[in-house]
Amino acid sequence: MTTVNVNEIALGIESFGDDDAPLVLLAGGTTMLSWPDALCERLAVGGRRVVRYDLRDSGESTTADPEAPAYTLRDLAADAAALADALGGGPAHLAGIGVGGMVAQVAVLDHPGAFSALTLVSTRAVAPGPPDDDLPDHDQATMSRLFARPMPDWTDRRAVAEFAAAGAEIRGDDPVAAHATAARIWDRTPNTAPPVQMANLMGMVFSRLDCKPRWRERLPDIRIPTLVVHGRRDRFFPVGNGEAIGREIPGARLLVLKEAATAIPDAAVGEVAEAMLRLG
């Protein structure tokens, strides 16, 4: 773990593989731990330098005020491009998961020269809030269950991990894996203030960002090899969102994981890694 300074902020990063290998940059959603260790390791074995990083206000990156972020989605996209440049080695394969997938879409549109390939996992092509009429919204029963739960005691590592595990089970993800990841996130969080913990564990800061202007209509301008990965059982961003992105980016390949929800399960790591490596 280390940090790299770009755009007057520090971004927390972790690297896998040979420093001289082609770069795969993984935008967290919001922390880098959204990306499974096993996937990073498989990509590195496949001859890539893999760098996963925390978005602003999460993990080892600069944390200011998650309740009133003084930056926009386009600033996060600029961070990705600046980080790729700082790490060197030519244009990078950029991948984003969840809200990191929104960052990745805008990054390749605003900074096309910085990236050679794009992978989008469990994301959609519109900002937080109501989706376009032709896109499926969050499953309302799932959302009701998620937000009916009382917040945990953010100073209690075990309570936070159990809260995350219960949420994963509601979403259809692996609760055991979510428990372990949440404990790691808690350990990396700068303090136990609820807004900071929520920014790290739940990505709540993202709902407060200025995500304008729209970018969906620009998707046909993406001209680099693109992979869209989506879980068939995703209740947060239902699979129709990934299918729409796959249609609207020219030549994109859609990989639907039949047994996955919002996270990349261990059983799918090999398939996802192989598909990413084929992009270059």
Side-chain angles (χ1 to χ4, degrees):
M1 299 276 186
T2 188
T3 59
V4 175
N5 293 318
V6 300
N7 296 336
E8 300 183 349
I9 54 111
L11 294 179
I13 71 166
E14 183 177 20
S15 299
F16 301 75
D18 187 341
D19 286 350
D20 295 327
L23 175 63
V24 178
L25 184 63
L26 306 178
T30 53
T31 81
M32 65 172 70
L33 296 183
S34 306
W35 292 101
D37 296 355
L39 178 65
C40 297
E41 292 161 359
R42 289 289 288 270
L43 292 171
V45 168
R48 302 296 186 270
R49 177 191 182 192
V50 181
V51 176
R52 60 182 178 182
Y53 76 98
D54 301 312
L55 300 184
R56 300 189 194 196
D57 282 320
S58 72
E60 300 294 328
S61 294
T62 296
T63 293
D65 183 2
E67 292 188 296
Y71 53 89
T72 70
L73 172 62
R74 300 188 88 165
D75 291 321
L76 296 179
D79 290 347
L83 180 56
D85 182 64
L87 294 170
H93 176 166
L94 178 64
I97 187 169
V99 297
M102 299 178 187
V103 173
Q105 291 170 70
V106 175
V108 299
L109 286 165
D110 285 1
H111 308 275
F115 305 107
S116 59
L118 174 65
T119 295
L120 302 170
V121 182
S122 301
T123 192
R124 70 181 190 182
V126 294
D132 293 347
D133 290 342
D134 65 323
L135 298 178
D137 202 351
H138 309 301
D139 177 76
Q140 291 307 307
T142 299
M143 299 301 286
S144 295
R145 292 179 64 197
L146 283 172
F147 288 100
R149 301 174 300 150
M151 291 291 107
D153 175 358
W154 295 109
T155 67
D156 185 335
R157 182 178 186 268
R158 179 177 177 180
V160 170
E162 290 176 350
F163 177 81
E169 191 163 24
I170 291 169
R171 292 192 305 272
D173 292 322
D174 180 356
V176 175
H179 188 285
T181 299
R184 292 174 67 189
I185 290 172
W186 193 94
D187 291 339
R188 301 176 68 244
T189 299
N191 62 61
T192 55
V196 177
Q197 285 283 353
M198 292 172 70
N200 277 261
L201 186 71
M202 302 175 67
M204 294 298 286
V205 64
F206 205 82
S207 65
R208 301 183 177 96
L209 289 189
D210 175 3
C211 292
K212 297 178 181 177
R214 285 173 57 91
W215 70 90
R216 183 181 181 188
E217 290 74 16
R218 298 171 62 200
L219 292 182
D221 294 337
I222 295 176
R223 299 294 178 177
I224 56 177
T226 299
L227 172 69
V228 181
V229 181
H230 217 102
R232 176 68 69 189
R233 299 189 296 112
D234 192 335
R235 302 168 191 164
F236 193 79
F237 291 139
V239 68
N241 290 281
E243 291 170 341
I245 295 173
R247 289 193 301 269
E248 293 168 27
I249 296 178
R253 179 194 172 194
L254 175 65
L255 173 60
V256 176
L257 305 176
K258 294 181 180 179
E259 301 301 321
T262 63
I264 300 173
D266 288 346
V269 162
E271 185 178 13
V272 174
E274 181 181 350
M276 291 179 69
L277 289 169
R278 282 203 295 266
L279 287 187

